[in-house]
Amino acid sequence: MAAEIGEQPAVWRSLLAHGDAAGIDGAAALIRSRRPRAVLFVARGTSDHAALYAKYLVEIRHGLPAGLVSPSTMTAYGARPDLRDVLMIGVSQSGGSPDLVRSLAVAGEQGALTVAVTNDASSTLAQTAHAHVDVLAGPERSVAATKSYTAQLLALYLLLEKVRGVDGRDAAAALPDLGDAVLARDAEVVALAQRYRFAQRMLTTARGYSYPTAREAALKLMETSYVSAQAFSGADLLHGPLALVDPQVPVLAVVASGVGGEAMGDVLPRLAERNADVCCVGHPAAVADAAVGFALPDGAPDELSPLLEILPFQLLALHVAVARGGDPDAPRGLSKITETL
């Protein structure tokens, strides 16, 4: 897991330099030719968080309705929705989960244009779709997905920008160097891991493009460290879940230097009222006001900040697991490919 976390900036450089080999241009051209009126995503686990990120991109930058599919409606229940004029994108590291393959196959039969985003061009999901985008992350052996997740984020960003006729590589050019700078500060995260070594429950929260980061951070802590971690959007947290917050339940908050971070403005004071132990990842001003935190470097636009935000949380999950005497490369009960039917 540690090695694959460290590979991420190199993976991003490869994807930015070899986008043609990823199939982005061809997939984007096909999408433009079909001019879909809505976009649906189908994914599971970590890939579901990448799909949620892409949902924000579609709604904000394309002005189209977007949603996340429940695969069981088409697999367990046998639903056959009318999907004409719809683009369905399946996101999967392995491309081997049977329910995702079946969902994409049904979508194609029901009139949708289908695109697979995977880390394996020979996978069943890739072969099922009308077009495939390879995230070019290379073999990922750790059960906890890290480099494939951020490669999915970048590939989806580049694909959706290309559909708009924009070369997203320009805005993303600084990401690999910024990623290297974040990962070089591993010692700071080791200190945070000691702080949270004995935590049994945690909450994660964010808004906007950063909300998928909060969800992915919670998943990483659950699957590697066995922490009961729950993710909420900042808006939802202020409803019933705020009652969960007390000084014994650490809150990991993502506050980016963009619209989503500004929208967290009412959340942090409410957490302070409850004497919450807040660890903030994001822009320096927000981090300075928290109990502890990790300030991210400037240089990434709001819509690309999730690639940097998740890095400290991946390291935190790794180091908390090790501090507890666990092995993050062998989480109990899990395997690399979950064959959900």
Side-chain angles (χ1 to χ4, degrees), residues 181-192 294 315-316 318-319:
V182 170
L183 294 174
R185 294 160 56 196
D186 182 58
E188 294 178 43
V189 184
V190 171
L192 290 175
F294 189 102
L315 291 170
L316 181 66
L318 168 71
H319 292 310

Side-chain angles (χ1 to χ4, degrees), residues 235-258:
D236 287 334
L237 182 64
L238 295 185
H239 292 273
L242 189 64
L244 293 170
V245 177
D246 64 41
Q248 283 70 51
V249 181
V251 179
L252 309 180
V254 190
V255 184
S257 56

Side-chain angles (χ1 to χ4, degrees), residues 78-105:
R80 295 295 181 270
D82 183 350
L83 296 175
R84 289 171 293 180
D85 298 325
V86 170
L87 166 65
M88 184 179 283
I89 300 178
V91 188
S92 170
Q93 190 281 136
S94 69
S97 184
D99 59 345
L100 302 186
V101 172
R102 183 61 184 150
S103 297
L104 216 61

Side-chain angles (χ1 to χ4, degrees), residues 11 28 59 64 73 87 95 107 116 121 165-166 184 203 210 214 216 223 231 235 268 280 292 301 315 329 333-334:
V11 169
E59 292 177 341
L64 293 176
T73 61
L87 166 65
V166 175
L203 300 179
S210 299
E216 176 62 8
E223 66 185 350
L268 298 180
C280 181
V292 290
L315 291 170
D329 287 337
L334 300 181

Side-chain angles (χ1 to χ4, degrees), residues 133-149:
V133 172
D134 191 336
V135 303
L136 303 178
E140 186 174 60
R141 297 179 177 84
S142 173
V143 173
T146 55
K147 66 177 182 176
S148 65
Y149 174 65

